[in-house]
Amino acid sequence: MTERPRAIDTPPSGSFEDMLRIVEGLDTPAGYKAELIRGKIVVSPWSKLRYLRPMRRLREQVEAHAPDGHVTETSPFLFVFPRSERGYGPDLFVADESAFDAEGRHADGTALSLAAELTSDSTKDVDWLDKMETYGRVVPVYLLLDMRVGEINVLWDPSPKGYRSRTNVPFGRPVRIPAPFDFELDTSGFAVEEAGNPEDEQR
């Protein structure tokens, strides 16, 4: 299995529901996740080991300010967006706990109050373009941590045309996380040393 994302070819006539069933039936190797992106099933590795510390620091702070009845997790759950025909497994998410009362192996993307992605060279196109566009229609807050550049981008106020508001700061500076969280995020300790060869990049 390659360490970079790999697309699985699907029949061109396959519907979103058909592809979703394929994703849910995949025997994905440990440490990998399958997502539905641009009409393809994409299998990619979960985050790098050296992302553990910044992810834990992010989770601890976000969880302390999560809306009532919402859970904060880094577990590999798939959230679907039928209107966009997408299915994503965010690196970290906050979602209405009631979404996990349903049967099946995927949750409704509208249950998300926050999605966070830790991006690097191999995943930045999807995180910056495809996911930003889809999250930007329904998810109140999107945090995009650019691990190569060393900065966090905060996007909020979703609309049919995408997020209306955005700010970014380098790691080490505090940044405001808007409603429904409303707190200052401490980004010190988010920076990690990245490999010099882009070909070595993975999530």
Side-chain angles (χ1 to χ4, degrees):
M1 173 70 67
T2 179
E3 292 184 343
R4 296 177 65 84
R6 171 179 290 177
I8 297 175
D9 290 331
T10 55
S13 59
S15 68
F16 175 71
E17 291 75 17
D18 291 338
M19 290 192 293
L20 188 56
R21 281 192 288 271
I22 293 172
V23 168
E24 293 182 340
L26 284 176
D27 184 15
T28 309
Y32 287 78
K33 62 179 176 180
E35 299 178 290
L36 284 170
I37 302 170
R38 300 171 187 157
K40 291 184 179 293
I41 298 171
V42 178
V43 177
S44 59
W46 284 102
S47 294
K48 299 176 184 179
L49 292 176
R50 59 181 177 271
Y51 288 1
L52 173 65
R53 290 187 181 91
M55 192 176 293
R56 287 185 65 184
R57 291 187 174 99
L58 176 62
R59 176 176 177 167
E60 289 168 359
Q61 296 182 70
V62 168
E63 188 168 33
H65 298 275
D68 290 342
H70 285 227
V71 294
T72 305
E73 282 290 348
T74 55
S75 302
F77 285 106
L78 187 72
F79 289 86
V80 298
F81 304 83
R83 293 187 65 181
S84 301
E85 297 192 342
R86 301 294 197 269
Y88 301 139
D91 290 331
L92 179 146
F93 66 84
V94 183
D96 191 324
E97 192 169 14
S98 65
F100 300 93
D101 293 335
E103 294 291 336
R105 300 179 63 184
H106 64 267
D108 188 341
T110 62
L112 291 165
S113 54
L114 180 147
E117 304 285 358
L118 281 67
T119 192
S120 56
D121 285 355
S122 65
T123 59
K124 64 182 180 181
D125 286 346
V126 169
D127 293 337
W128 276 106
L129 301 174
D130 201 77
K131 291 187 178 182
M132 184 181 293
E133 180 179 350
T134 300
Y135 289 150
R137 296 190 183 109
V138 294
V139 181
V141 180
Y142 178 33
L143 305 182
L144 183 52
L145 283 69
D146 193 320
M147 307 307 289
R148 168 67 72 178
V149 175
E151 70 176 19
I152 181 170
N153 296 267
V154 182
L155 300 102
W156 69 99
D157 194 10
S159 78
K161 294 184 178 180
Y163 288 111
R164 296 186 181 97
S165 300
R166 171 181 168 182
T167 189
N168 68 292
V169 301
F171 291 160
R173 289 179 52 188
V175 64
R176 187 74 183 172
I177 307 301
F181 297 87
D182 287 324
F183 76 100
E184 292 284 326
L185 177 70
D186 178 6
T187 68
S188 61
F190 282 13
V192 297
E193 183 178 347
E194 288 286 9
N197 184 355
E199 290 302 315
D200 294 333
E201 287 300 309
Q202 57 172 314
R203 285 183 85 84

